[in-house]
Amino acid sequence: MTLAAMRRAGTEDTLHVEEVALSEIATKFGTPCYVYSRRALTAAFTAYRDALQKHGVLARSLICYAVKANSNLAILNLFARLGAGFDIVSGGELARVIAAGGDPEKIVFSGVGKSRTEMHAALKAGIHCFNVESASELDQLSEVAGNVGYRAPVSLRVNPDVDAKTHPYISTGLKSAKFGIAYDQALSLYRHAAALPHIAVKGIDCHIGSQLLDPLPAAEATEKILALVDQLATAGIALEHIDLGGGMGIQYRSEEAAPTVADYLAPMLNKLKGRHEKLLFEPGRSLVGNAGLLLTRVEVLKHGEEKHFAVVDAAMNDLMRPALYDAWHDIVKVMQSGIPGDGAGDTANRTSLPYEIVGPVCESGDFLGHDRQLALAEGDLLAILSTGAYGMAMASNYNSRPRAAEVMVDGAAVHLIRRREDIAELFALESILP
Ligand code: LLP
Protein backbone atom coordinates (compact mmCIF):
# COMPACT_ATOMS: atom_id res chain seq x y z
CA MET A 1 0.00 0.00 0.00
CA THR A 2 1.07 3.57 -0.40
CA LEU A 3 0.33 5.97 2.40
CA ALA A 4 -2.08 7.83 0.13
CA ALA A 5 -4.16 4.66 -0.24
CA MET A 6 -4.65 4.34 3.51
CA ARG A 7 -6.47 6.41 6.06
CA ARG A 8 -5.63 7.34 9.58
CA ALA A 9 -8.35 7.24 12.23
CA GLY A 10 -8.90 7.22 15.98
CA THR A 11 -7.26 9.28 18.70
CA GLU A 12 -3.82 8.03 17.76
CA ASP A 13 -4.35 8.58 14.06
CA THR A 14 -3.83 4.87 13.58
CA LEU A 15 -3.21 3.63 10.05
CA HIS A 16 -6.03 1.52 8.66
CA VAL A 17 -6.11 -0.92 5.78
CA GLU A 18 -9.68 -0.81 4.55
CA GLU A 19 -11.71 -0.74 7.79
CA VAL A 20 -9.15 -2.41 10.01
CA ALA A 21 -6.58 -0.71 12.27
CA LEU A 22 -3.07 -2.08 11.80
CA SER A 23 -2.58 -1.95 15.57
CA GLU A 24 -5.39 -4.51 15.96
CA ILE A 25 -3.75 -6.78 13.41
CA ALA A 26 -0.44 -6.55 15.28
CA THR A 27 -2.13 -7.44 18.55
CA LYS A 28 -4.04 -10.35 17.09
CA PHE A 29 -1.47 -11.86 14.74
CA GLY A 30 1.84 -10.57 16.05
CA THR A 31 4.70 -9.05 14.09
CA PRO A 32 6.34 -9.20 11.62
CA CYS A 33 3.19 -9.64 9.57
CA TYR A 34 2.39 -9.07 5.91
CA VAL A 35 -0.96 -7.36 5.45
CA TYR A 36 -2.79 -7.37 2.10
CA SER A 37 -5.96 -5.63 1.02
CA ARG A 38 -8.52 -7.52 -1.00
CA ARG A 39 -9.93 -4.23 -2.21
CA ALA A 40 -6.54 -3.06 -3.49
CA LEU A 41 -5.83 -6.39 -5.20
CA THR A 42 -9.19 -6.26 -6.93
CA ALA A 43 -8.70 -2.63 -7.93
CA ALA A 44 -5.29 -3.38 -9.46
CA PHE A 45 -6.72 -6.22 -11.54
CA THR A 46 -9.71 -4.12 -12.57
CA ALA A 47 -7.38 -1.33 -13.70
CA TYR A 48 -5.81 -3.72 -16.20
CA ARG A 49 -9.18 -4.90 -17.41
CA ASP A 50 -10.45 -1.34 -17.78
CA ALA A 51 -7.39 -0.27 -19.76
CA LEU A 52 -7.77 -3.22 -22.13
CA GLN A 53 -11.48 -2.52 -22.43
CA LYS A 54 -10.80 1.09 -23.31
CA HIS A 55 -8.63 -0.04 -26.21
CA GLY A 56 -11.24 -2.55 -27.33
CA VAL A 57 -9.00 -5.58 -26.81
CA LEU A 58 -10.35 -7.02 -23.56
CA ALA A 59 -12.27 -9.83 -25.25
CA ARG A 60 -9.11 -11.19 -26.84
CA SER A 61 -6.82 -10.56 -23.84
CA LEU A 62 -5.69 -12.78 -21.01
CA ILE A 63 -4.08 -11.29 -17.91
CA CYS A 64 -1.70 -13.93 -16.58
CA TYR A 65 -0.67 -12.93 -13.06
CA ALA A 66 3.07 -13.58 -12.56
CA VAL A 67 2.87 -15.92 -9.57
CA LYS A 68 6.46 -15.28 -8.50
CA ALA A 69 5.51 -11.82 -7.21
CA ASN A 70 3.36 -13.31 -4.45
CA SER A 71 2.30 -16.91 -4.54
CA ASN A 72 0.03 -17.12 -1.49
CA LEU A 73 -2.94 -19.36 -2.31
CA ALA A 74 -5.48 -16.77 -1.16
CA ILE A 75 -4.06 -14.24 -3.59
CA LEU A 76 -3.93 -16.74 -6.45
CA ASN A 77 -7.49 -17.76 -5.66
CA LEU A 78 -8.66 -14.16 -5.63
CA PHE A 79 -7.17 -13.55 -9.08
CA ALA A 80 -8.57 -16.84 -10.36
CA ARG A 81 -12.04 -15.70 -9.25
CA LEU A 82 -11.49 -12.46 -11.14
CA GLY A 83 -10.80 -14.47 -14.29
CA ALA A 84 -7.02 -14.22 -14.36
CA GLY A 85 -4.63 -16.61 -15.99
CA PHE A 86 -1.21 -17.25 -14.49
CA ASP A 87 2.42 -16.97 -15.51
CA ILE A 88 4.42 -19.64 -13.70
CA VAL A 89 8.13 -20.45 -13.59
CA SER A 90 8.27 -23.80 -11.82
CA GLY A 91 6.45 -27.01 -11.03
CA GLY A 92 5.91 -25.58 -7.56
CA GLU A 93 4.04 -22.61 -8.96
CA LEU A 94 2.02 -24.92 -11.21
CA ALA A 95 0.92 -26.93 -8.17
CA ARG A 96 0.05 -23.75 -6.28
CA VAL A 97 -2.11 -22.38 -9.08
CA ILE A 98 -4.00 -25.65 -9.36
CA ALA A 99 -4.40 -25.88 -5.58
CA ALA A 100 -5.78 -22.33 -5.59
CA GLY A 101 -8.40 -23.20 -8.18
CA GLY A 102 -6.66 -21.62 -11.18
CA ASP A 103 -7.58 -22.83 -14.65
CA PRO A 104 -4.65 -24.78 -16.16
CA GLU A 105 -5.75 -23.71 -19.64
CA LYS A 106 -4.92 -20.16 -18.68
CA ILE A 107 -1.36 -20.92 -17.52
CA VAL A 108 1.78 -19.88 -19.37
CA PHE A 109 5.05 -21.42 -18.25
CA SER A 110 8.08 -19.10 -18.42
CA GLY A 111 11.69 -19.57 -17.34
CA VAL A 112 15.10 -20.41 -18.78
CA GLY A 113 15.56 -23.81 -17.14
CA LYS A 114 12.47 -25.98 -16.99
CA SER A 115 13.23 -29.53 -15.89
CA ARG A 116 11.80 -32.50 -17.74
CA THR A 117 9.71 -33.33 -14.70
CA GLU A 118 8.23 -29.84 -14.76
CA MET A 119 7.58 -30.04 -18.50
CA HIS A 120 5.82 -33.34 -18.00
CA ALA A 121 3.65 -32.04 -15.16
CA ALA A 122 2.64 -28.96 -17.15
CA LEU A 123 1.81 -31.03 -20.25
CA LYS A 124 -0.39 -33.34 -18.18
CA ALA A 125 -2.11 -30.38 -16.56
CA GLY A 126 -2.95 -29.05 -20.02
CA ILE A 127 -1.44 -25.59 -19.77
CA HIS A 128 -2.03 -22.90 -22.36
CA CYS A 129 1.55 -22.50 -23.46
CA PHE A 130 5.24 -23.02 -22.74
CA ASN A 131 7.30 -19.87 -23.20
CA VAL A 132 10.43 -21.48 -24.60
CA GLU A 133 13.71 -19.67 -24.10
CA SER A 134 16.31 -21.70 -26.03
CA ALA A 135 16.81 -24.17 -28.87
CA SER A 136 17.79 -26.90 -26.41
CA GLU A 137 14.69 -26.34 -24.33
CA LEU A 138 12.56 -26.67 -27.46
CA ASP A 139 14.15 -30.02 -28.32
CA GLN A 140 13.84 -31.30 -24.76
CA LEU A 141 10.20 -30.29 -24.63
CA SER A 142 9.56 -31.95 -27.96
CA GLU A 143 11.11 -35.15 -26.63
CA VAL A 144 9.14 -35.08 -23.36
CA ALA A 145 5.90 -34.42 -25.25
CA GLY A 146 6.71 -37.21 -27.72
CA ASN A 147 7.27 -39.69 -24.88
CA VAL A 148 3.75 -39.16 -23.60
CA GLY A 149 2.12 -38.67 -26.99
CA TYR A 150 1.29 -34.99 -26.53
CA ARG A 151 1.86 -31.90 -28.65
CA ALA A 152 3.30 -29.14 -26.53
CA PRO A 153 1.83 -25.68 -27.15
CA VAL A 154 4.74 -23.29 -27.53
CA SER A 155 5.61 -19.67 -27.88
CA LEU A 156 9.19 -18.53 -28.19
CA ARG A 157 10.41 -15.86 -25.82
CA VAL A 158 12.24 -13.46 -28.07
CA ASN A 159 14.74 -11.00 -26.74
CA PRO A 160 14.01 -7.71 -28.50
CA ASP A 161 17.29 -6.09 -27.38
CA VAL A 162 15.62 -3.10 -25.78
CA ASP A 163 17.02 -1.28 -22.76
CA ALA A 164 14.31 -1.30 -20.11
CA LYS A 165 16.15 1.33 -18.05
CA THR A 166 15.67 -0.41 -14.73
CA HIS A 167 17.89 -2.02 -12.07
CA PRO A 168 20.41 -4.35 -13.81
CA TYR A 169 19.30 -7.36 -11.72
CA ILE A 170 15.74 -7.06 -13.03
CA SER A 171 16.51 -5.98 -16.59
CA THR A 172 16.06 -8.88 -18.97
CA GLY A 173 15.66 -7.58 -22.51
CA LEU A 174 19.23 -6.81 -23.51
CA LYS A 175 21.40 -9.01 -25.72
CA SER A 176 23.65 -9.68 -22.74
CA ALA A 177 20.82 -11.23 -20.69
CA LYS A 178 20.41 -14.96 -20.13
CA PHE A 179 16.78 -14.64 -21.16
CA GLY A 180 15.04 -15.30 -24.41
CA ILE A 181 16.08 -16.16 -27.92
CA ALA A 182 18.16 -13.67 -29.88
CA TYR A 183 15.95 -11.63 -32.18
CA ASP A 184 17.98 -12.55 -35.26
CA GLN A 185 17.77 -16.26 -34.52
CA ALA A 186 14.04 -16.34 -33.85
CA LEU A 187 12.86 -16.93 -37.42
CA SER A 188 15.01 -19.99 -37.95
CA LEU A 189 14.07 -21.45 -34.57
CA TYR A 190 10.38 -20.94 -35.37
CA ARG A 191 10.93 -22.84 -38.63
CA HIS A 192 12.54 -25.65 -36.68
CA ALA A 193 9.69 -25.63 -34.12
CA ALA A 194 7.03 -25.72 -36.82
CA ALA A 195 8.61 -28.88 -38.22
CA LEU A 196 8.63 -30.77 -34.91
CA PRO A 197 5.71 -33.21 -34.68
CA HIS A 198 5.26 -32.87 -30.93
CA ILE A 199 5.37 -29.09 -30.86
CA ALA A 200 2.43 -26.83 -31.69
CA VAL A 201 3.56 -23.28 -32.41
CA LYS A 202 1.07 -20.93 -30.77
CA GLY A 203 2.60 -17.57 -30.13
CA ILE A 204 5.44 -15.26 -29.31
CA ASP A 205 6.52 -13.82 -25.98
CA CYS A 206 8.75 -11.08 -24.66
CA HIS A 207 9.49 -9.59 -21.26
CA ILE A 208 12.13 -6.89 -21.01
CA GLY A 209 12.39 -6.29 -17.29
CA SER A 210 10.65 -5.29 -14.12
CA GLN A 211 9.77 -2.07 -12.28
CA LEU A 212 9.59 -0.19 -15.58
CA LEU A 213 8.31 3.33 -15.14
CA ASP A 214 8.82 4.55 -18.68
CA PRO A 215 6.28 2.96 -21.06
CA LEU A 216 8.37 3.56 -24.16
CA PRO A 217 10.78 0.61 -23.94
CA ALA A 218 7.79 -1.77 -23.77
CA ALA A 219 6.21 -0.04 -26.75
CA GLU A 220 9.48 -0.31 -28.65
CA ALA A 221 9.71 -4.02 -27.80
CA THR A 222 6.11 -4.47 -28.98
CA GLU A 223 6.96 -2.88 -32.30
CA LYS A 224 9.93 -5.19 -32.79
CA ILE A 225 7.86 -8.23 -31.84
CA LEU A 226 5.10 -7.24 -34.27
CA ALA A 227 7.62 -6.90 -37.09
CA LEU A 228 8.72 -10.45 -36.35
CA VAL A 229 5.12 -11.72 -36.20
CA ASP A 230 4.57 -10.31 -39.69
CA GLN A 231 7.80 -11.82 -40.96
CA LEU A 232 6.71 -15.19 -39.57
CA ALA A 233 3.31 -14.91 -41.26
CA THR A 234 5.06 -14.28 -44.57
CA ALA A 235 7.11 -17.41 -43.91
CA GLY A 236 3.87 -19.36 -43.41
CA ILE A 237 3.96 -19.47 -39.61
CA ALA A 238 0.79 -17.81 -38.33
CA LEU A 239 0.73 -17.05 -34.62
CA GLU A 240 -2.39 -17.10 -32.47
CA HIS A 241 -1.15 -14.97 -29.62
CA ILE A 242 1.31 -12.28 -28.62
CA ASP A 243 2.48 -12.28 -24.99
CA LEU A 244 3.87 -8.91 -23.97
CA GLY A 245 5.15 -9.98 -20.56
CA GLY A 246 4.94 -8.01 -17.35
CA GLY A 247 7.18 -5.33 -15.94
CA MET A 248 5.00 -2.34 -15.22
CA GLY A 249 6.47 -0.43 -12.29
CA ILE A 250 4.73 0.88 -9.20
CA GLN A 251 5.14 3.83 -6.89
CA TYR A 252 7.54 3.06 -4.04
CA ARG A 253 8.31 6.58 -2.77
CA SER A 254 5.62 9.04 -1.88
CA GLU A 255 7.49 11.75 -3.76
CA GLU A 256 8.00 9.73 -6.95
CA ALA A 257 4.97 9.10 -9.10
CA ALA A 258 4.46 6.01 -11.25
CA PRO A 259 2.28 5.88 -14.37
CA THR A 260 -1.23 4.49 -14.10
CA VAL A 261 -1.88 1.14 -15.74
CA ALA A 262 -3.84 2.90 -18.48
CA ASP A 263 -0.99 5.33 -19.17
CA TYR A 264 1.62 2.60 -19.09
CA LEU A 265 -0.26 0.32 -21.46
CA ALA A 266 -1.45 2.99 -23.91
CA PRO A 267 1.68 3.32 -26.09
CA MET A 268 1.92 -0.47 -26.29
CA LEU A 269 -1.75 -0.97 -27.08
CA ASN A 270 -1.67 1.76 -29.70
CA LYS A 271 0.83 -0.34 -31.63
CA LEU A 272 -1.61 -3.26 -31.56
CA LYS A 273 -4.48 -1.46 -33.25
CA GLY A 274 -6.09 -3.37 -36.07
CA ARG A 275 -4.49 -6.71 -35.25
CA HIS A 276 -6.36 -9.91 -34.57
CA GLU A 277 -4.00 -11.96 -32.39
CA LYS A 278 -4.94 -12.84 -28.85
CA LEU A 279 -2.99 -10.75 -26.32
CA LEU A 280 -1.38 -12.04 -23.16
CA PHE A 281 0.11 -10.00 -20.32
CA GLU A 282 2.16 -11.21 -17.37
CA PRO A 283 1.95 -8.52 -14.68
CA GLY A 284 3.21 -9.36 -11.23
CA ARG A 285 4.33 -6.37 -9.18
CA SER A 286 1.66 -4.00 -10.53
CA LEU A 287 -1.12 -6.33 -9.35
CA VAL A 288 0.12 -6.96 -5.82
CA GLY A 289 2.93 -4.55 -4.89
CA ASN A 290 0.78 -1.76 -3.62
CA ALA A 291 -1.82 -4.08 -2.15
CA GLY A 292 0.46 -5.09 0.71
CA LEU A 293 2.61 -3.84 3.55
CA LEU A 294 4.86 -5.35 6.18
CA LEU A 295 3.97 -4.62 9.78
CA THR A 296 6.87 -4.63 12.22
CA ARG A 297 7.63 -3.49 15.76
CA VAL A 298 10.60 -1.52 17.04
CA GLU A 299 12.54 -3.76 19.42
CA VAL A 300 15.47 -1.57 20.34
CA LEU A 301 16.63 1.97 19.72
CA LYS A 302 20.37 2.28 19.63
CA HIS A 303 22.21 5.51 19.34
CA GLY A 304 25.63 4.81 17.87
CA GLU A 305 28.51 7.18 17.47
CA GLU A 306 27.59 8.06 13.93
CA LYS A 307 24.11 6.75 13.40
CA HIS A 308 20.82 6.13 15.12
CA PHE A 309 19.48 2.63 14.73
CA ALA A 310 15.95 1.34 15.11
CA VAL A 311 16.19 -2.43 15.34
CA VAL A 312 12.83 -3.85 14.29
CA ASP A 313 11.50 -7.41 14.39
CA ALA A 314 11.39 -7.76 10.59
CA ALA A 315 14.66 -8.32 8.75
CA MET A 316 16.26 -8.99 5.40
CA ASN A 317 14.97 -12.55 5.56
CA ASP A 318 11.41 -11.15 5.55
CA LEU A 319 12.03 -8.45 2.97
CA MET A 320 15.12 -8.88 0.83
CA ARG A 321 14.57 -6.06 -1.64
CA PRO A 322 16.48 -3.33 0.22
CA ALA A 323 19.52 -5.59 0.77
CA LEU A 324 19.46 -7.09 -2.70
CA TYR A 325 18.59 -4.13 -4.93
CA ASP A 326 19.12 -1.23 -2.57
CA ALA A 327 15.37 -0.80 -3.03
CA TRP A 328 13.45 1.95 -1.29
CA HIS A 329 10.26 1.26 0.64
CA ASP A 330 8.49 4.07 2.48
CA ILE A 331 8.41 3.38 6.23
CA VAL A 332 5.77 5.04 8.37
CA LYS A 333 4.58 4.92 11.95
CA VAL A 334 1.32 3.08 12.46
CA MET A 335 0.27 5.33 15.35
CA GLN A 336 1.04 8.88 14.54
CA SER A 337 1.30 9.80 18.21
CA GLY A 338 2.10 6.61 20.17
CA ILE A 339 -0.09 5.26 22.95
CA PRO A 340 -0.03 7.17 26.22
CA GLY A 341 0.95 4.79 29.00
CA ASP A 342 2.31 2.14 26.68
CA GLY A 343 5.65 2.26 28.44
CA ALA A 344 7.21 3.79 25.38
CA GLY A 345 7.72 7.15 26.96
CA ASP A 346 6.00 10.44 26.49
CA THR A 347 5.37 10.67 22.78
CA ALA A 348 5.34 14.42 22.82
CA ASN A 349 8.96 14.37 23.92
CA ARG A 350 10.23 11.99 21.30
CA THR A 351 12.79 13.52 19.09
CA SER A 352 12.64 13.01 15.40
CA LEU A 353 15.96 11.53 14.28
CA PRO A 354 17.41 10.12 11.07
CA TYR A 355 17.13 6.39 11.76
CA GLU A 356 18.67 3.39 10.09
CA ILE A 357 15.80 0.90 10.15
CA VAL A 358 17.51 -2.46 10.56
CA GLY A 359 16.63 -6.04 11.42
CA PRO A 360 18.18 -8.44 13.93
CA VAL A 361 20.05 -10.50 11.29
CA CYS A 362 23.81 -10.66 11.69
CA GLU A 363 24.79 -8.79 8.54
CA SER A 364 25.42 -5.14 7.87
CA GLY A 365 23.37 -5.59 4.71
CA ASP A 366 20.35 -6.28 6.90
CA PHE A 367 18.57 -2.97 6.53
CA LEU A 368 15.05 -2.06 5.55
CA GLY A 369 15.58 1.64 5.15
CA HIS A 370 18.39 4.17 5.50
CA ASP A 371 18.17 7.61 6.95
CA ARG A 372 14.47 7.74 7.80
CA GLN A 373 13.42 10.79 9.75
CA LEU A 374 11.11 9.42 12.45
CA ALA A 375 10.21 10.12 16.08
CA LEU A 376 10.42 6.65 17.54
CA ALA A 377 10.10 4.84 20.84
CA GLU A 378 10.74 1.17 21.56
CA GLY A 379 7.55 -0.78 21.03
CA ASP A 380 6.31 1.45 18.20
CA LEU A 381 4.68 -0.21 15.24
CA LEU A 382 5.96 0.57 11.77
CA ALA A 383 4.52 -0.20 8.36
CA ILE A 384 6.94 -0.90 5.53
CA LEU A 385 4.92 0.06 2.50
CA SER A 386 4.53 -1.31 -1.03
CA THR A 387 5.71 -4.78 -0.04
CA GLY A 388 2.97 -6.93 -1.58
CA ALA A 389 5.26 -7.99 -4.45
CA TYR A 390 8.54 -9.89 -4.03
CA GLY A 391 8.30 -9.53 -0.26
CA MET A 392 7.01 -12.74 1.28
CA ALA A 393 7.73 -14.52 -2.00
CA MET A 394 11.46 -13.95 -1.50
CA ALA A 395 11.48 -14.47 2.26
CA SER A 396 13.79 -17.07 3.78
CA ASN A 397 14.55 -18.63 7.13
CA TYR A 398 18.04 -17.12 7.33
CA ASN A 399 19.25 -16.95 10.93
CA SER A 400 16.61 -19.60 11.70
CA ARG A 401 13.89 -17.01 11.72
CA PRO A 402 10.36 -18.32 11.18
CA ARG A 403 8.69 -16.62 8.24
CA ALA A 404 6.11 -13.94 9.01
CA ALA A 405 2.35 -14.41 9.15
CA GLU A 406 0.26 -13.13 6.23
CA VAL A 407 -3.23 -11.72 6.59
CA MET A 408 -5.75 -10.36 4.12
CA VAL A 409 -8.08 -7.54 5.05
CA ASP A 410 -11.50 -7.65 3.44
CA GLY A 411 -13.62 -4.70 4.52
CA ALA A 412 -13.90 -4.95 8.29
CA ALA A 413 -12.70 -8.57 8.38
CA VAL A 414 -9.15 -9.92 8.64
CA HIS A 415 -8.29 -13.41 7.44
CA LEU A 416 -5.12 -15.25 8.32
CA ILE A 417 -3.88 -16.53 4.94
CA ARG A 418 -0.59 -18.00 6.15
CA ARG A 419 0.14 -18.60 9.77
CA ARG A 420 3.50 -17.72 11.24
CA GLU A 421 5.96 -20.61 11.05
CA ASP A 422 6.83 -22.49 14.22
CA ILE A 423 10.47 -22.81 15.20
CA ALA A 424 10.20 -26.62 15.22
CA GLU A 425 9.06 -26.54 11.59
CA LEU A 426 12.32 -24.92 10.58
CA PHE A 427 14.31 -28.08 11.21
CA ALA A 428 11.56 -30.69 10.87
CA LEU A 429 13.01 -31.92 7.55
CA GLU A 430 16.54 -32.37 8.90
CA SER A 431 18.11 -35.44 10.47
CA ILE A 432 21.22 -36.13 12.43
CA LEU A 433 23.62 -38.96 11.65
CA PRO A 434 22.94 -42.33 13.31
N1 LLP B 1 7.13 -12.43 -16.82
C1 LLP B 1 8.40 -12.85 -16.71
C2 LLP B 1 8.94 -13.76 -17.72
C3 LLP B 1 9.20 -12.42 -15.64
O1 LLP B 1 10.45 -12.81 -15.56
C4 LLP B 1 8.65 -11.53 -14.68
C5 LLP B 1 9.45 -11.07 -13.53
C6 LLP B 1 7.31 -11.13 -14.82
C7 LLP B 1 6.59 -11.59 -15.91
C8 LLP B 1 6.63 -10.21 -13.86
O2 LLP B 1 7.23 -8.97 -13.86
P1 LLP B 1 6.59 -7.76 -13.00
O3 LLP B 1 5.28 -7.41 -13.64
O4 LLP B 1 6.42 -8.24 -11.62
O5 LLP B 1 7.59 -6.69 -13.11
N2 LLP B 1 12.55 -9.70 -7.36
C9 LLP B 1 12.57 -8.50 -8.16
C10 LLP B 1 11.72 -8.62 -9.39
C11 LLP B 1 12.09 -9.78 -10.28
C12 LLP B 1 11.24 -9.90 -11.50
C13 LLP B 1 11.49 -11.19 -12.20
N3 LLP B 1 10.66 -11.41 -13.34
C14 LLP B 1 12.15 -7.31 -7.29
O6 LLP B 1 11.87 -7.52 -6.11
O7 LLP B 1 12.13 -6.19 -7.76
Side-chain angles (χ1 to χ4, degrees):
M1 315 278 295
T2 60
L3 194 55
M6 288 183 282
R7 68 188 175 93
R8 290 193 178 270
T11 44
E12 303 301 329
D13 274 339
T14 303
L15 267 186
H16 284 59
V17 167
E18 301 190 28
E19 314 315 324
V20 183
L22 286 176
S23 50
E24 280 171 32
I25 294 178
T27 305
K28 189 159 177 208
F29 300 99
T31 52
C33 180
Y34 275 100
V35 181
Y36 309 111
S37 155
R38 179 180 185 171
R39 192 180 294 162
L41 290 163
T42 307
F45 190 80
T46 309
Y48 264 90
R49 268 212 309 236
D50 289 350
L52 297 171
Q53 176 78 54
K54 205 176 120 198
H55 287 261
V57 295
L58 183 61
R60 58 183 171 99
S61 294
L62 182 60
I63 303 164
C64 295
Y65 167 60
V67 174
K68 65 167 82 70
N70 189 324
S71 55
N72 185 289
L73 291 195
I75 288 178
L76 301 181
N77 173 262
L78 190 66
F79 286 135
R81 290 197 221 178
L82 293 169
F86 297 92
D87 167 44
I88 61 163
V89 290
S90 69
E93 289 190 352
L94 173 67
R96 275 182 178 275
V97 170
I98 292 170
D103 179 356
E105 284 179 21
K106 293 184 182 173
I107 294 177
V108 296
F109 193 168
S110 301
V112 284
K114 304 170 187 80
S115 73
R116 285 161 197 260
T117 311
E118 289 174 324
M119 290 174 180
H120 186 242
L123 277 170
K124 292 220 92 151
I127 66 164
H128 185 69
C129 193
F130 289 85
N131 290 337
V132 169
E133 302 220 13
S134 64
S136 293
E137 183 192 335
L138 183 66
D139 291 337
Q140 286 175 22
L141 180 59
S142 166
E143 191 188 311
V144 173
N147 288 343
V148 287
Y150 283 60
R151 275 187 93 195
V154 155
S155 82
L156 298 189
R157 174 170 175 182
V158 176
N159 190 336
D161 193 26
V162 165
D163 185 356
K165 301 188 196 116
T166 184
H167 190 285
Y169 287 10
I170 51 179
S171 185
T172 53
L174 283 171
K175 270 186 185 159
S176 52
K178 71 173 175 179
F179 300 99
I181 289 151
Y183 193 82
D184 297 338
Q185 291 166 14
L187 184 57
S188 78
L189 196 59
Y190 265 107
R191 284 208 168 99
H192 175 58
L196 291 170
H198 291 287
I199 295 292
V201 174
K202 294 282 179 191
I204 191 163
D205 166 45
C206 90
H207 172 80
I208 58 171
S210 196
Q211 185 52 18
L212 313 185
L213 294 170
D214 176 357
L216 295 181
E220 188 188 334
T222 305
E223 199 169 312
K224 285 191 159 182
I225 293 297
L226 290 176
L228 193 55
V229 173
D230 293 339
Q231 234 179 306
L232 286 164
T234 312
I237 301 171
L239 300 184
E240 289 169 24
H241 77 246
I242 302 174
D243 179 341
L244 294 159
M248 189 189 129
I250 61 165
Q251 181 177 23
Y252 278 110
R253 293 179 84 126
S254 51
E255 64 269 28
E256 272 172 23
T260 62
V261 177
D263 288 347
Y264 184 83
L265 291 181
M268 201 192 280
L269 293 175
N270 285 336
K271 306 247 177 239
L272 292 156
K273 272 203 183 101
R275 305 205 55 113
H276 62 276
E277 294 90 351
K278 200 171 160 186
L279 302 176
L280 270 60
F281 299 90
E282 302 171 355
R285 186 190 319 264
S286 50
L287 289 181
V288 292
N290 267 325
L293 58 81
L294 175 58
L295 193 55
T296 182
R297 202 179 278 283
V298 177
E299 302 272 29
V300 166
L301 292 181
K302 188 171 166 180
H303 303 285
E305 278 184 35
E306 290 190 353
K307 287 186 172 172
H308 304 282
F309 296 95
V311 185
V312 299
D313 63 6
M316 65 187 290
N317 73 294
D318 300 298
L319 179 65
M320 245 178 102
R321 302 193 71 258
L324 193 57
Y325 314 114
D326 211 10
W328 175 284
H329 289 267
D330 280 347
I331 302 176
V332 296
K333 276 169 61 168
V334 168
M335 320 267 210
Q336 198 67 295
S337 51
I339 313 171
D342 68 350
D346 179 358
T347 53
N349 292 334
R350 290 181 195 178
T351 335
S352 170
L353 294 169
Y355 278 105
E356 295 293 299
I357 313 291
V358 301
V361 163
C362 301
E363 292 215 26
S364 295
D366 178 28
F367 69 92
L368 300 165
H370 290 307
D371 202 12
R372 305 305 175 94
Q373 195 68 35
L374 291 163
L376 295 179
E378 291 176 0
D380 275 356
L381 279 174
L382 298 177
I384 306 176
L385 305 183
S386 310
T387 45
Y390 307 109
M392 186 62 172
M394 292 171 75
S396 77
N397 294 119
Y398 188 39
N399 277 210
S400 284
R401 289 168 51 84
R403 274 176 293 177
E406 291 178 291
V407 302
M408 172 115 50
V409 175
D410 182 9
V414 189
H415 303 279
L416 182 64
I417 60 169
R418 190 179 202 271
R419 68 163 171 78
R420 187 178 307 286
E421 283 171 342
D422 287 339
I423 302 267
E425 286 171 321
L426 302 189
F427 47 84
L429 305 180
E430 298 166 30
S431 14
I432 50 180
L433 298 183

